[in-house]
Amino acid sequence: MLRGAKALASLNNRTYDDLLPMLAANGLQNELHCKGALSVYETERAFQADAGTWDLRRLHGITCDDLSGDQAREMEPALGPIVRRAVATPQWSHVSDPRTLHSALLTSLRQRGLTVIRGSAVGLTPTESAVTVDTSDAGPLAAEDVVIAAGAWSGFLAATIGDRVLLESERGYNTTIAAPGIQLGREIIFAERQFVATPLSCGLRIGGAAEFGGLDAKPNFKRSNALVSLARRYFPDLVETHGTMWSGHRPATPDSLPVIGRSSRNRRVIHAFGHGHLGLTQAATTGRLVADLIDGATPVVDLLPFSVDRF
Ligand SMILES: Cc1cc2nc3c(=O)[nH]c(=O)nc-3n(C[C@H](O)[C@H](O)[C@H](O)COP(=O)(O)OP(=O)(O)OC[C@H]3O[C@@H](n4cnc5c(N)ncnc54)[C@H](O)[C@@H]3O)c2cc1C
């Protein structure tokens, strides 16, 4: 666990070093809100039980301030009396809206000369001087370097060049309520119940859950509803109506570390997937590391813990 935490910190401690310049280069700096986050607890017992985890985070440079329930309500008046303890993490940030950030980034990159070809990759075929990405709908695409970054779907692509990957879909759910009737200044994490509420530009997003049902199972949106009902326990004035439900596949590895680095089976193939719950947080740093590899530079983070060969 300590080794895993150290490896995770080596990526997460670079988040702002890589994310802020990337957002600025694309004119998107206003999409990130450095407002911190608040993890809240219903019982002193659960708060004490998590003390070791918070100490581990402090050890890796994360500021964590212990608070009483009243101090938490001073910061976030929408919280009800159920909250007895809290931990503030002022370095935490959230984005305005992941969807608008994604499309704004794509538009900016296109304007800067990026060519986007849409298609479904079905496998990789190495040739002497390149790797061909075989697709079902966009023809074969040959390149000197190929990056596998297909989230929870990446395992079968890696397998086509002989890399064995332990990767599962850990499905998550959320509901976004456009007019929730309450205001939050920052993300709230409900520590005992493992879900979060985030104030986005499109509304209050209440999300979480970890469902291991594979990539083909139909979503069970009862989970989205259940999270909203739970949120009512913490926010007595929450208006639950007109929520938009969504689910997505988190790419989970057994050690909670992503797979980043060149394949030892074919040096032209670079893996960049398996980011679990932190794909948005670690995206810019992963992009930076992939760029280092393609440029032939020494990666800014030691990539050994993230090697595909660990499986
Ligand atoms: C409910 C929920 C909450 C989350 N909250 C957070 C959070 O708070 N913070 C955070 O940092 N992250 C969060 N995430 C992000 C997340 O956990 C993942 O780590 C992230 O989405 C992984 O990004 P990715 O680009 O690797 O994969 P994805 O986002 O899954 O993107 C993979 C892409 O590859 C495409 N693809 C798949 N197969 C193929 C193929 N064969 N050919 C071509 N294209 C293909 C897919 O269509 C998709 O567009 C959350 C996710 C969920 C579901």
Side-chain angles (χ1 to χ4, degrees), residues 223-238:
R223 293 188 194 280
S224 297
N225 285 329
L227 293 174
V228 175
S229 301
L230 270 181
R232 274 296 303 265
R233 293 165 57 94
Y234 295 87
F235 302 128
D237 297 329
L238 177 67

Side-chain angles (χ1 to χ4, degrees), residues 119-121 149-153 156-157 172-174 208 246 248-251 275-281:
S120 294
W153 293 266
F156 89 89
L157 288 172
Y173 291 83
N174 64 42
W246 179 82
H249 296 281
R250 304 185 193 95
H275 295 76
H277 288 233
L278 294 171
L280 178 55
T281 311

Side-chain angles (χ1 to χ4, degrees), residues 290-306:
V290 168
D292 286 344
L293 290 171
I294 290 175
D295 287 346
T298 304
V300 285
V301 169
D302 174 16
L303 291 182
L304 192 62
F306 310 109

Side-chain angles (χ1 to χ4, degrees), residues 11 14-23 284-286 288 300:
L11 282 183
R14 281 203 59 88
T15 295
Y16 293 118
D17 297 335
D18 299 311
L19 185 59
L20 295 179
M22 188 204 78
L23 291 173
T285 297
T286 302
R288 162 71 194 268
V300 285

Side-chain angles (χ1 to χ4, degrees), residues 60-258:
H60 290 290
I62 300 173
T63 304
C64 311
D65 300 322
D66 292 351
L67 303 176
S68 67
D70 285 340
Q71 286 170 319
R73 275 180 290 279
E74 258 170 51
M75 291 173 75
E76 294 293 346
L79 287 169
I82 194 173
V83 173
R84 307 288 291 273
R85 296 299 301 257
V87 180
T89 44
Q91 289 145 311
W92 205 289
S93 298
H94 64 273
V95 296
S96 296
D97 181 349
R99 186 187 293 267
T100 52
L101 176 62
H102 175 267
S103 59
L105 190 57
L106 192 58
T107 302
S108 168
L109 291 172
R110 278 184 163 136
Q111 282 165 356
R112 295 169 65 195
L114 180 81
T115 301
V116 178
I117 302 167
R118 289 185 189 276
S120 294
V122 292
L124 305 182
T125 309
T127 61
E128 212 163 274
S129 57
V131 171
T132 299
V133 181
D134 305 305
T135 74
S136 60
D137 44 5
L141 303 165
E144 279 178 33
D145 292 291
V146 169
V147 182
I148 300 181
W153 293 266
S154 301
F156 89 89
L157 288 172
T160 65
I161 55 158
D163 275 328
R164 177 172 175 266
V165 178
L166 296 182
L167 189 69
E168 261 303 335
S169 156
E170 183 184 346
R171 194 170 206 149
Y173 291 83
N174 64 42
T175 301
T176 307
I177 304 171
I182 58 168
Q183 273 204 325
L184 297 184
R186 53 186 66 70
E187 179 163 275
I188 308 281
I189 297 137
F190 306 99
E192 285 123 317
R193 300 183 185 268
Q194 307 275 304
F195 74 106
V196 304
T198 315
L200 301 182
S201 56
C202 54
L204 182 67
R205 180 161 294 172
I206 297 164
E211 178 188 271
F212 289 90
L215 284 164
D216 298 326
K218 285 208 170 90
N220 172 8
F221 285 112
K222 283 186 188 159
R223 293 188 194 280
S224 297
N225 285 329
L227 293 174
V228 175
S229 301
L230 270 181
R232 274 296 303 265
R233 293 165 57 94
Y234 295 87
F235 302 128
D237 297 329
L238 177 67
V239 177
E240 296 176 26
T241 47
H242 305 303
T244 307
M245 294 185 288
W246 179 82
S247 89
H249 296 281
R250 304 185 193 95
T253 59
D255 56 8
S256 299
L257 297 179

